[in-house]
Amino acid sequence: MSSFIVISSPLKQTTMAKQDPTSSSNTIPLVGSEFVRPRPLDLTITGDTVKDTDGNKVFKVKTPLFGLHNKRILLDPNDSPIVTMKMKVTSKHDRWQVYRGSDLDDKIFTVKRSSTVQLKTRVEVFLKHNQTREASCDFTIKGRFMKRACTIYVGDSTKIIAQVHEGDERLVATVYPNVDHAFIVTLIFIFDLINMGGTGI
């Protein structure tokens, strides 16, 4: 059975703080404008490598050889860092902080488990403007424990922007127009690290 992700243009939120960053009428690149396409984009994720339908490498996730294995780096095809994912070791909620490039002073967003005890996995995403109080998340990822399939929602709403299904040792992703696919791929890898106990895709 093939795997896919479906990303649709979400509805606008009712407040400025919750303004939808992926709305087709008000696209805001979360990682970079070069990762926002006006047309759907199909991606295949196998291990730590992300490819398009022509077999070209789009991204690769690198685990540093030295130090604690609490860091991942999303690289472009030229091995330049796009974002750095760093787990906060002392966190009880499997908190991962995402930084632009390799600059650990330029945080973009935070991803964390919503609670320490869960029957079903719920992971929340907080963008930079919303990381002080974390009263209401900007995106939510929901799935089953020890399963890579998940659904990504805008905030705490029922508006789905991504669905992930497991395939035969790979995931196949369809990213819809005006969605930052580097952001989505980063969420997929972090969700997998949180939900699968750090084993990776």
Side-chain angles (χ1 to χ4, degrees), residues 57-73:
K57 185 169 72 173
V58 180
F59 304 120
K60 182 175 181 178
V61 172
K62 176 183 177 182
T63 302
L65 295 177
F66 302 101
L68 297 174
H69 294 288
N70 63 345
K71 183 187 292 186
R72 301 291 188 276
I73 304 171

PDB file of all heavy atoms in Angstrom, residues 57-73:
ATOM      1  N   LYS A  57      17.315  14.114  -5.289  1.00  0.00           N
ATOM      2  CA  LYS A  57      17.328  14.352  -3.850  1.00  0.00           C
ATOM      3  C   LYS A  57      16.904  15.781  -3.546  1.00  0.00           C
ATOM      4  O   LYS A  57      17.456  16.729  -4.089  1.00  0.00           O
ATOM      5  CB  LYS A  57      18.723  14.081  -3.267  1.00  0.00           C
ATOM      6  CG  LYS A  57      18.778  14.200  -1.755  1.00  0.00           C
ATOM      7  CD  LYS A  57      20.086  13.672  -1.183  1.00  0.00           C
ATOM      8  CE  LYS A  57      21.245  14.599  -1.496  1.00  0.00           C
ATOM      9  NZ  LYS A  57      22.486  14.183  -0.814  1.00  0.00           N
ATOM     10  N   VAL A  58      15.920  15.926  -2.679  1.00  0.00           N
ATOM     11  CA  VAL A  58      15.416  17.239  -2.283  1.00  0.00           C
ATOM     12  C   VAL A  58      15.976  17.630  -0.923  1.00  0.00           C
ATOM     13  O   VAL A  58      16.438  18.748  -0.724  1.00  0.00           O
ATOM     14  CB  VAL A  58      13.871  17.239  -2.254  1.00  0.00           C
ATOM     15  CG1 VAL A  58      13.338  18.610  -1.835  1.00  0.00           C
ATOM     16  CG2 VAL A  58      13.309  16.850  -3.617  1.00  0.00           C
ATOM     17  N   PHE A  59      15.918  16.690   0.033  1.00  0.00           N
ATOM     18  CA  PHE A  59      16.446  16.911   1.376  1.00  0.00           C
ATOM     19  C   PHE A  59      17.146  15.649   1.870  1.00  0.00           C
ATOM     20  O   PHE A  59      16.889  14.548   1.375  1.00  0.00           O
ATOM     21  CB  PHE A  59      15.334  17.243   2.389  1.00  0.00           C
ATOM     22  CG  PHE A  59      14.468  18.409   2.042  1.00  0.00           C
ATOM     23  CD1 PHE A  59      13.102  18.252   1.867  1.00  0.00           C
ATOM     24  CD2 PHE A  59      15.012  19.674   1.913  1.00  0.00           C
ATOM     25  CE1 PHE A  59      12.286  19.326   1.564  1.00  0.00           C
ATOM     26  CE2 PHE A  59      14.214  20.763   1.603  1.00  0.00           C
ATOM     27  CZ  PHE A  59      12.840  20.588   1.433  1.00  0.00           C
ATOM     28  N   LYS A  60      17.974  15.844   2.871  1.00  0.00           N
ATOM     29  CA  LYS A  60      18.535  14.723   3.618  1.00  0.00           C
ATOM     30  C   LYS A  60      18.634  15.143   5.078  1.00  0.00           C
ATOM     31  O   LYS A  60      18.949  16.302   5.370  1.00  0.00           O
ATOM     32  CB  LYS A  60      19.918  14.331   3.095  1.00  0.00           C
ATOM     33  CG  LYS A  60      20.514  13.130   3.815  1.00  0.00           C
ATOM     34  CD  LYS A  60      21.835  12.692   3.195  1.00  0.00           C
ATOM     35  CE  LYS A  60      22.383  11.475   3.921  1.00  0.00           C
ATOM     36  NZ  LYS A  60      23.655  10.991   3.311  1.00  0.00           N
ATOM     37  N   VAL A  61      18.353  14.231   5.983  1.00  0.00           N
ATOM     38  CA  VAL A  61      18.465  14.532   7.410  1.00  0.00           C
ATOM     39  C   VAL A  61      19.726  13.870   7.948  1.00  0.00           C
ATOM     40  O   VAL A  61      19.922  12.661   7.820  1.00  0.00           O
ATOM     41  CB  VAL A  61      17.224  14.043   8.185  1.00  0.00           C
ATOM     42  CG1 VAL A  61      17.441  14.187   9.684  1.00  0.00           C
ATOM     43  CG2 VAL A  61      16.002  14.839   7.760  1.00  0.00           C
ATOM     44  N   LYS A  62      20.582  14.687   8.532  1.00  0.00           N
ATOM     45  CA  LYS A  62      21.872  14.221   9.040  1.00  0.00           C
ATOM     46  C   LYS A  62      21.848  14.155  10.560  1.00  0.00           C
ATOM     47  O   LYS A  62      21.341  15.060  11.229  1.00  0.00           O
ATOM     48  CB  LYS A  62      22.973  15.176   8.582  1.00  0.00           C
ATOM     49  CG  LYS A  62      24.363  14.866   9.132  1.00  0.00           C
ATOM     50  CD  LYS A  62      25.378  15.905   8.676  1.00  0.00           C
ATOM     51  CE  LYS A  62      26.745  15.652   9.273  1.00  0.00           C
ATOM     52  NZ  LYS A  62      27.715  16.697   8.857  1.00  0.00           N
ATOM     53  N   THR A  63      22.408  13.077  11.102  1.00  0.00           N
ATOM     54  CA  THR A  63      22.609  12.947  12.540  1.00  0.00           C
ATOM     55  C   THR A  63      24.096  13.141  12.825  1.00  0.00           C
ATOM     56  O   THR A  63      24.923  12.402  12.278  1.00  0.00           O
ATOM     57  CB  THR A  63      22.187  11.556  13.050  1.00  0.00           C
ATOM     58  OG1 THR A  63      20.811  11.332  12.720  1.00  0.00           O
ATOM     59  CG2 THR A  63      22.366  11.454  14.558  1.00  0.00           C
ATOM     60  N   PRO A  64      24.467  14.147  13.619  1.00  0.00           N
ATOM     61  CA  PRO A  64      25.889  14.375  13.913  1.00  0.00           C
ATOM     62  C   PRO A  64      26.553  13.129  14.495  1.00  0.00           C
ATOM     63  O   PRO A  64      25.947  12.396  15.282  1.00  0.00           O
ATOM     64  CB  PRO A  64      25.854  15.517  14.938  1.00  0.00           C
ATOM     65  CG  PRO A  64      24.570  16.226  14.666  1.00  0.00           C
ATOM     66  CD  PRO A  64      23.605  15.157  14.252  1.00  0.00           C
ATOM     67  N   LEU A  65      27.795  12.869  14.094  1.00  0.00           N
ATOM     68  CA  LEU A  65      28.510  11.681  14.542  1.00  0.00           C
ATOM     69  C   LEU A  65      28.962  11.784  15.987  1.00  0.00           C
ATOM     70  O   LEU A  65      29.094  10.782  16.683  1.00  0.00           O
ATOM     71  CB  LEU A  65      29.726  11.437  13.637  1.00  0.00           C
ATOM     72  CG  LEU A  65      29.418  11.091  12.178  1.00  0.00           C
ATOM     73  CD1 LEU A  65      30.717  10.963  11.389  1.00  0.00           C
ATOM     74  CD2 LEU A  65      28.617   9.809  12.087  1.00  0.00           C
ATOM     75  N   PHE A  66      29.227  13.015  16.432  1.00  0.00           N
ATOM     76  CA  PHE A  66      29.760  13.198  17.774  1.00  0.00           C
ATOM     77  C   PHE A  66      28.734  13.903  18.663  1.00  0.00           C
ATOM     78  O   PHE A  66      27.860  14.620  18.193  1.00  0.00           O
ATOM     79  CB  PHE A  66      31.058  14.012  17.729  1.00  0.00           C
ATOM     80  CG  PHE A  66      32.119  13.376  16.862  1.00  0.00           C
ATOM     81  CD1 PHE A  66      32.350  13.835  15.576  1.00  0.00           C
ATOM     82  CD2 PHE A  66      32.868  12.317  17.338  1.00  0.00           C
ATOM     83  CE1 PHE A  66      33.311  13.246  14.771  1.00  0.00           C
ATOM     84  CE2 PHE A  66      33.842  11.722  16.552  1.00  0.00           C
ATOM     85  CZ  PHE A  66      34.059  12.179  15.261  1.00  0.00           C
ATOM     86  N   GLY A  67      28.863  13.704  19.962  1.00  0.00           N
ATOM     87  CA  GLY A  67      27.954  14.325  20.909  1.00  0.00           C
ATOM     88  C   GLY A  67      26.711  13.482  21.103  1.00  0.00           C
ATOM     89  O   GLY A  67      26.569  12.375  20.575  1.00  0.00           O
ATOM     90  N   LEU A  68      25.778  13.996  21.880  1.00  0.00           N
ATOM     91  CA  LEU A  68      24.532  13.291  22.136  1.00  0.00           C
ATOM     92  C   LEU A  68      23.683  13.240  20.865  1.00  0.00           C
ATOM     93  O   LEU A  68      23.711  14.169  20.051  1.00  0.00           O
ATOM     94  CB  LEU A  68      23.748  13.990  23.251  1.00  0.00           C
ATOM     95  CG  LEU A  68      24.418  14.026  24.630  1.00  0.00           C
ATOM     96  CD1 LEU A  68      23.589  14.880  25.587  1.00  0.00           C
ATOM     97  CD2 LEU A  68      24.608  12.613  25.182  1.00  0.00           C
ATOM     98  N   HIS A  69      22.944  12.145  20.698  1.00  0.00           N
ATOM     99  CA  HIS A  69      22.106  11.993  19.504  1.00  0.00           C
ATOM    100  C   HIS A  69      20.769  12.691  19.706  1.00  0.00           C
ATOM    101  O   HIS A  69      19.703  12.112  19.545  1.00  0.00           O
ATOM    102  CB  HIS A  69      21.914  10.516  19.194  1.00  0.00           C
ATOM    103  CG  HIS A  69      23.167   9.819  18.804  1.00  0.00           C
ATOM    104  ND1 HIS A  69      23.789  10.024  17.593  1.00  0.00           N
ATOM    105  CD2 HIS A  69      23.946   8.942  19.481  1.00  0.00           C
ATOM    106  CE1 HIS A  69      24.886   9.275  17.525  1.00  0.00           C
ATOM    107  NE2 HIS A  69      25.016   8.617  18.666  1.00  0.00           N
ATOM    108  N   ASN A  70      20.827  13.965  20.058  1.00  0.00           N
ATOM    109  CA  ASN A  70      19.615  14.744  20.274  1.00  0.00           C
ATOM    110  C   ASN A  70      19.500  15.873  19.264  1.00  0.00           C
ATOM    111  O   ASN A  70      18.821  16.860  19.499  1.00  0.00           O
ATOM    112  CB  ASN A  70      19.584  15.311  21.694  1.00  0.00           C
ATOM    113  CG  ASN A  70      20.721  16.285  21.956  1.00  0.00           C
ATOM    114  OD1 ASN A  70      21.685  16.336  21.195  1.00  0.00           O
ATOM    115  ND2 ASN A  70      20.616  17.048  23.022  1.00  0.00           N
ATOM    116  N   LYS A  71      20.168  15.717  18.136  1.00  0.00           N
ATOM    117  CA  LYS A  71      20.171  16.762  17.128  1.00  0.00           C
ATOM    118  C   LYS A  71      20.049  16.135  15.738  1.00  0.00           C
ATOM    119  O   LYS A  71      20.628  15.086  15.459  1.00  0.00           O
ATOM    120  CB  LYS A  71      21.461  17.586  17.220  1.00  0.00           C
ATOM    121  CG  LYS A  71      21.516  18.758  16.230  1.00  0.00           C
ATOM    122  CD  LYS A  71      22.881  19.434  16.241  1.00  0.00           C
ATOM    123  CE  LYS A  71      23.151  20.151  17.532  1.00  0.00           C
ATOM    124  NZ  LYS A  71      24.414  20.926  17.472  1.00  0.00           N
ATOM    125  N   ARG A  72      19.272  16.780  14.878  1.00  0.00           N
ATOM    126  CA  ARG A  72      19.158  16.400  13.476  1.00  0.00           C
ATOM    127  C   ARG A  72      19.275  17.663  12.637  1.00  0.00           C
ATOM    128  O   ARG A  72      18.816  18.734  13.055  1.00  0.00           O
ATOM    129  CB  ARG A  72      17.823  15.711  13.185  1.00  0.00           C
ATOM    130  CG  ARG A  72      17.554  14.434  13.975  1.00  0.00           C
ATOM    131  CD  ARG A  72      18.462  13.304  13.569  1.00  0.00           C
ATOM    132  NE  ARG A  72      18.066  12.045  14.196  1.00  0.00           N
ATOM    133  CZ  ARG A  72      18.422  11.664  15.408  1.00  0.00           C
ATOM    134  NH1 ARG A  72      19.178  12.470  16.150  1.00  0.00           N
ATOM    135  NH2 ARG A  72      18.044  10.492  15.888  1.00  0.00           N
ATOM    136  N   ILE A  73      19.852  17.545  11.447  1.00  0.00           N
ATOM    137  CA  ILE A  73      20.023  18.690  10.558  1.00  0.00           C
ATOM    138  C   ILE A  73      19.400  18.368   9.213  1.00  0.00           C
ATOM    139  O   ILE A  73      19.744  17.360   8.587  1.00  0.00           O
ATOM    140  CB  ILE A  73      21.515  19.042  10.382  1.00  0.00           C
ATOM    141  CG1 ILE A  73      22.163  19.304  11.747  1.00  0.00           C
ATOM    142  CG2 ILE A  73      21.669  20.268   9.475  1.00  0.00           C
ATOM    143  CD1 ILE A  73      23.672  19.450  11.681  1.00  0.00           C
TER     144      ILE A  73
END
